[in-house]
Amino acid sequence: MAAPDPSLATERCARALECLRSGRIHEARALLAAALATEPAHGPSLQLLAALEERAGDPAAAVRLLELATRAHPTSAPYWNDLGAVLRLQGRTHEAL
């Protein structure tokens, strides 16, 4: 099995962000899926896909993705912050603390 390629995942995530800025959401989702296929614990891709899921009305999917990000990167404050924000929006304040 080949080792994850963080540079490829990072490049795909950056391209996904460009797509989002241009309103190409479906293309962005495909790039993020490809990034995560390359490196399943790629934090920025998990975080960006979680934001897309939350905006699309699927906060449960956003929570799952952010939980993956916080498990893979437990010292990353932005992932914990986003997880807490999504939990709070769901009315799960006690879990967000």
Side-chain angles (χ1 to χ4, degrees), residues 20 25-26 29 48-62:
L20 285 175
I25 295 170
H26 295 295
R29 281 184 180 278
L48 189 53
L49 188 55
L52 285 175
E53 295 294 357
E54 195 277 323
R55 289 183 193 133
D58 192 352

Side-chain angles (χ1 to χ4, degrees), residues 3-97:
D5 184 351
S7 63
L8 184 56
T10 298
E11 185 262 325
R12 288 175 173 164
C13 185
R15 286 179 37 216
L17 188 54
E18 290 173 18
C19 288
L20 285 175
R21 290 180 178 149
S22 300
R24 299 183 335 258
I25 295 170
H26 295 295
E27 189 176 343
R29 281 184 180 278
L31 284 164
L32 291 169
L36 292 170
T38 302
E39 186 184 348
H42 190 252
S45 294
L46 289 166
Q47 184 183 34
L48 189 53
L49 188 55
L52 285 175
E53 295 294 357
E54 195 277 323
R55 289 183 193 133
D58 192 352
V63 167
R64 283 191 301 275
L65 291 162
L66 290 166
E67 286 174 339
L68 289 171
T70 57
R71 277 197 297 275
H73 309 278
T75 61
S76 178
Y79 304 152
W80 286 105
N81 185 66
D82 287 358
L83 176 58
V86 174
L87 288 169
R88 186 176 48 79
L89 288 172
Q90 288 184 298
R92 298 165 59 184
T93 305
H94 62 286
E95 294 175 66
L97 299 176

